Amino acid sequence: MMNQNIDKEALFLKAVSVERDEFKELFTYLKQDFGYGERIPFYIMQSAFKKGIVRAVYLTDGFQVYGYAIYQHEPAQDCVHVFYLAILSDYRSLGLGSTLLARLKTLSNGRILLEVEDPDKTKKADKVSIRIRRINFYERNGFHLSPDINLKSFGYPLRLMTLQELPKVDQKEFQKYYQSLYNRVYQFPIGKLMVKAR
């Protein structure tokens, strides 16, 4: 672990530019933190990024990158749909994940959707523990686990978390909405095939 005396108040979000080298650096971080099947393919994400559909920010002090978030702003609901959020491995367990989320909340007027893997849908104890820790982290930061939404996205059983509790919703209707979020990024109707209610 590196320097633990990080001034969290001095940290801010810096938009990742569409320059190829900066995007490649971001994707290098993404490959370190998320497995092959968990990542949107590079060329699809790059295309959506260039078109302004996907956005990314670094948590930084202006010199060092500490973490990042990759998301889309969804105008119909005026919310931020987070695909990836991570603190770089050298800086984990320092409370920077909460700092990153706090800064992200300012971009979204407090309206954030994100997915977590369902801990009830695995039998591997180590994976259950990791999934529960992630949910607990988001709950400590003000997120609510939706009791009504159970999705399967690209084969992964997911639960939805939001900053504001969702009213009771019809799962099939929400499934269509969520499919549209993925369709925007992939730029073709993949959501109908790959995002299902379960």
Side-chain angles (χ1 to χ4, degrees):
M1 189 175 297
M2 304 196 78
N3 184 1
Q4 295 189 16
N5 298 319
I6 298 166
D7 180 4
K8 293 177 190 166
E9 295 301 315
L11 300 180
F12 60 93
L13 297 181
K14 175 186 174 274
V16 177
S17 80
V18 295
E19 291 180 25
R20 183 169 174 78
D21 288 344
E22 195 163 338
F23 186 78
K24 281 175 72 173
E25 176 187 58
L26 174 68
F27 210 78
T28 298
Y29 293 141
L30 194 65
K31 287 194 290 190
Q32 293 168 0
D33 296 320
F34 297 91
Y36 177 77
E38 299 172 310
R39 296 189 309 266
I40 296 170
F42 177 85
Y43 70 95
I44 290 172
M45 189 179 295
Q46 185 180 37
S47 174
F49 195 69
K50 284 181 178 178
K51 292 178 180 177
I53 298 166
V54 170
R55 302 172 187 178
V57 290
Y58 285 138
L59 181 68
T60 182
D61 56 9
F63 302 99
Q64 175 63 47
V65 171
Y66 295 101
Y68 60 91
I70 301 173
Y71 63 94
Q72 68 172 313
H73 178 259
E74 198 284 294
Q77 299 294 322
D78 189 25
C79 69
V80 165
H81 173 221
V82 176
F83 292 105
Y84 306 102
L85 184 137
I87 297 299
L88 304 189
S89 60
D90 287 341
Y91 303 104
R92 290 182 187 151
S93 301
L94 300 176
L96 295 178
S98 295
T99 302
L100 176 53
L101 272 179
R103 302 295 185 274
L104 203 56
K105 288 175 188 178
T106 64
L107 290 180
S108 65
N109 297 321
R111 296 176 60 87
I112 298 177
L113 300 172
L114 56 85
E115 303 113 12
V116 290
E117 290 178 301
D118 192 338
D120 297 334
K121 298 299 176 187
T122 184
K123 296 190 177 10
K124 296 180 181 175
D126 59 332
K127 289 196 181 247
V128 170
S129 174
I130 290 168
R131 292 175 182 186
I132 289 172
R133 277 201 322 266
R134 283 182 186 146
I135 290 169
N136 290 340
F137 162 74
Y138 287 119
E139 287 178 335
R140 284 193 310 273
N141 284 280
F143 282 78
H144 305 277
L145 193 62
S146 172
D148 304 318
I149 307 298
N150 294 291
L151 298 171
K152 186 173 257 192
S153 179
F154 294 84
Y156 290 90
L158 302 176
R159 302 287 306 277
L160 182 74
M161 296 193 81
T162 60
L163 271 176
Q164 298 175 332
E165 285 190 68
L166 291 174
K168 191 157 181 67
V169 294
D170 175 72
Q171 178 139 321
K172 288 289 184 187
E173 285 302 310
F174 194 83
Q175 173 189 335
K176 288 178 189 172
Y177 168 70
Y178 230 67
Q179 288 170 345
S180 74
L181 292 178
Y182 279 91
N183 291 346
R184 287 183 77 225
V185 173
Y186 279 82
Q187 300 167 58
F188 61 91
I190 196 168
K192 194 167 187 177
L193 298 172
M194 303 308 293
V195 179
K196 306 283 187 186
R198 56 179 176 86

